[in-house]
Amino acid sequence: MGQKDLARNQASAGERASVQKLRTRPHAQVLIIGGGINGVGTFRDLALQGVDVALVERGDYCQGASGASSHMIHGGIRYLENGEFRLVQESVVERNRLLRIAPHYVKPLQTTIPIFSTFSGVLAAPLRFLTHKQQGAPKERGAFLIKVGLSLYDFFSRDGGTVPRHQFRGRKRALAELPRLHPGIKYTATYFDASVHNPERLTLDVLQDGEKAGASGASDARASNYLSLVSVKNGAGERGTGSTVKLRDELTGEVFDFSADVIVNTTGAWVDLTNEAMGSASAFMGGTKGSHIVLDHPELLAACNGREIFFEHTDGRIVLIYPMGDRVLVGTTDVDADMAEDAVCTESEIDYFFDLIGHVFPDITVDRDQIVYTFSGVRPLPKHDATQPGFVSRDYRIERRAGAGQGGGAAAVLSLVGGKWTTFRALAEHLSNDVLAELGMPRKVSTAKLAIGGGAGFPDSEDGVQRWIKAHMAAGRDADRTAGLLTRYGTRAGDVINFLDAAPDRLLHSTRELSVRELEFMARNEQIGHLVDVLIRRTSLAFRGLVTGELLNEVAEILAGPLGWDAATRTSEITHAQEVLKRFHGVQVHSLVS
Ligand SMILES: Cc1cc2nc3c(=O)[nH]c(=O)nc-3n(C[C@H](O)[C@H](O)[C@H](O)COP(=O)(O)OP(=O)(O)OC[C@H]3O[C@@H](n4cnc5c(N)ncnc54)[C@H](O)[C@@H]3O)c2cc1C
């Protein structure tokens, strides 16, 4: 993968504390490979059970599919036509749970489906349901079919539902609510799902919960990014059981041995490649690529009226136009992925996105200049043959491979096939249960109601938010800045503020959203491997198109102290950030460094 290759060229100062923790205790009961949301979720769950667990991620946390999603925490209404009732029910339950346990990042999302016909698709849907294949030309999903789907959706939501039931509107009322919609619509259906506003930070919160649980319990849960599994070493671990693998620090190139009794492969679309590296070929995966663009387009933003517009494009694909803060997210595509190629958003995908905007908002024009960011990722779907990408099962399963036999043999390897963002908590529970069974250990804690990171004690009303802000303002930290910290960290912003207040601080010259001390906090506590991690995953500056040459220089200069970067490393970090932004996100940032 290109991003990894770029990372490997970067120098780094000394050994990172996260790597040291694995090197000094080079055995764990469980080694998790892959730091996307599913690996990290499983790490947290196992740490809470008192399991000695380690996790390695070859790039930054949440840099794979988990950082490329449509940001929806949803039941997946369209999976009903695939017959995936179990998945939809679990997803709706998990959506409602995440709204409660991660309220700092997961928010209700009003969603409107524009509908152009009454009965279309009614025959096509059962056929699709029976065969899981598209029959001939795509049949549009009409009002009747959507009504059936949404009623089922409401039914699944009935227990502990935290969102209102769906509503249908006739043309006149629909156009009164959303006047820029295509005048040819017959109805709209509006319902609530949820949106994850900051998936990268939610992943980090889940990870830090795991580390904290480990530190306070019997085990020492430890995790490192920029650490990849490269191969398996013959021979058992130090206790005579399990397997020994080789891990490589992607920032220094150093390789060391690590052993575990059970290995969990949560490397998403790379699961088969990881199994191959461990000497046990598999053919589980058949990932599909999906891209998005982010637009700075006030007219389109206003046309959405705060809602996600979720609809069927002319090719039968379900697509979305979705306000995120002051930007608009548009996606997504679904094409079989070639894992030898980098996942990037192509020009023809951008044409497709412009076309789909025109399908529902025909009098709004969009220009390539209004694109501030693009991103693309590979869904970790199961291998599929004739089935069209859009109809491949979105459910997950766990594949177990015994090493050379249990009791004195090589470690069992559990590979995760599939797994959406929405279901990560439930999936982590299932995967942990399987691991606990391997280890002969009981489950001690349920994560179903356990607040995640800065979701603990998060104010549940706008008044509460304002009170929190007022209580945490100080000289030199106004309401906007304090609100920004609460948005970025949830209630963990309290710890950040304590750190900021312990020494003199100032806002950056290039953005008012960050201060010098806050960057130092990130460098000390959030495993920053590269400058680009701050721009893409510790903040949303890149997503919103706010990275400038001045910002690159200033952030690199401030991080250099705590991360021990010399002048040459600082320059190479700036170049690396520019290359990643250009190659993977279509963003050209001119450097001020000559
Ligand atoms: C375009 C798109 C839109 C989506 N939209 C939604 C949505 O709206 N809602 C939803 O619920 N889901 C959505 N999904 C699905 C969801 O994002 C993924 O299913 C989920 O994030 C997968 O997480 P994961 O942890 O299993 O995999 P990943 O996030 O891909 O993580 C796997 C990790 O393994 C690492 N890795 C690989 N090889 C190695 C190695 N040898 N050593 C160490 N680490 C390694 C990778 O670097 C990567 O970080 C979408 C996915 C895509 C691509």
Side-chain angles (χ1 to χ4, degrees), residues 1 33-40 56-74 79 227-230 266-270 274 277 288-292 320 332-333 375-380 416 418-423:
M1 187 191 169
I33 309 157
I37 188 56
N38 287 320
V40 167
V56 295
E57 160 57 50
R58 73 171 171 193
D60 193 13
Y61 302 112
C62 201
Q63 76 157 33
S66 301
S69 85
S70 302
H71 295 64
M72 285 165 68
I73 297 296
H74 62 151
Y79 310 140
L227 193 59
S228 59
L229 175 131
V230 282
T266 49
T267 53
W270 298 273
T274 308
T288 69
K289 186 190 91 158
S291 300
H292 293 84
L320 49 95
T332 171
T333 44
F375 59 99
S376 195
V378 182
R379 300 173 182 86
L416 172 64
K420 294 181 62 62
W421 239 108
T422 307
T423 51

Side-chain angles (χ1 to χ4, degrees), residues 220-261:
D220 178 17
R222 52 217 187 277
S224 184
N225 57 1
Y226 295 105
L227 193 59
S228 59
L229 175 131
V230 282
S231 61
V232 70
K233 198 178 158 197
N234 286 334
E238 63 181 22
R239 298 173 182 180
T241 59
S243 293
T244 302
V245 296
K246 285 202 171 297
L247 302 180
R248 179 173 59 215
D249 184 334
E250 295 295 343
L251 300 185
T252 62
E254 276 178 76
V255 176
F256 60 95
D257 292 348
F258 194 91
S259 64
D261 301 331

Side-chain angles (χ1 to χ4, degrees), residues 191-416:
Y191 64 104
F192 277 84
D193 254 326
S195 151
V196 53
H197 283 230
N198 205 333
E200 295 81 8
R201 280 222 157 257
L202 180 50
T203 305
L204 206 61
D205 259 14
V206 174
L207 182 93
Q208 294 189 337
D209 274 2
E211 289 178 322
K212 216 163 117 190
S216 61
S219 77
D220 178 17
R222 52 217 187 277
S224 184
N225 57 1
Y226 295 105
L227 193 59
S228 59
L229 175 131
V230 282
S231 61
V232 70
K233 198 178 158 197
N234 286 334
E238 63 181 22
R239 298 173 182 180
T241 59
S243 293
T244 302
V245 296
K246 285 202 171 297
L247 302 180
R248 179 173 59 215
D249 184 334
E250 295 295 343
L251 300 185
T252 62
E254 276 178 76
V255 176
F256 60 95
D257 292 348
F258 194 91
S259 64
D261 301 331
V262 177
I263 294 180
V264 176
N265 179 357
T266 49
T267 53
W270 298 273
V271 156
D272 290 332
L273 297 176
T274 308
N275 282 336
E276 197 181 321
M278 288 192 289
S280 171
S282 61
F284 301 140
M285 308 306 298
T288 69
K289 186 190 91 158
S291 300
H292 293 84
I293 55 174
V294 182
L295 293 165
D296 180 5
H297 198 313
E299 192 187 356
L300 184 61
L301 184 71
C304 292
N305 196 14
R307 302 169 182 201
E308 175 188 35
I309 311 297
F310 193 58
F311 59 100
E312 177 175 357
H313 195 26
T314 45
D315 59 355
R317 262 205 60 65
I318 305 292
V319 290
L320 49 95
I321 304 173
Y322 176 163
M324 295 213 74
D326 55 1
R327 301 287 185 254
V328 185
L329 179 66
V330 182
T332 171
T333 44
D334 202 351
V335 287
D336 285 324
D338 177 351
M339 294 311 289
E341 300 270 317
D342 287 333
V344 293
C345 180
T346 61
E347 286 300 315
S348 62
E349 286 180 302
I350 293 176
D351 290 339
Y352 179 83
F353 296 141
F354 283 9
D355 193 53
L356 71 85
I357 294 168
H359 183 58
V360 286
F361 293 119
D363 66 350
I364 294 183
T365 52
V366 196
D367 206 280
R368 276 176 157 68
D369 289 349
Q370 291 164 311
I371 302 175
V372 296
Y373 192 68
T374 68
F375 59 99
S376 195
V378 182
R379 300 173 182 86
L381 300 183
K383 193 172 161 57
H384 51 277
D385 297 320
T387 312
Q388 290 210 349
F391 295 100
V392 177
S393 168
R394 259 45 178 181
D395 211 343
Y396 55 84
R397 67 176 204 271
I398 298 160
E399 291 279 349
R400 181 184 189 280
R401 290 263 169 108
Q406 278 180 297
V413 177
L414 303 181
S415 299
L416 172 64

Side-chain angles (χ1 to χ4, degrees), residues 519 528 530-539 555 559:
L519 282 173
I528 308 295
H530 286 292
L531 170 60
V532 78
D533 300 341
V534 172
L535 310 172
I536 297 181
R537 286 171 290 269
R538 304 300 180 277
T539 70
V555 176
L559 290 177

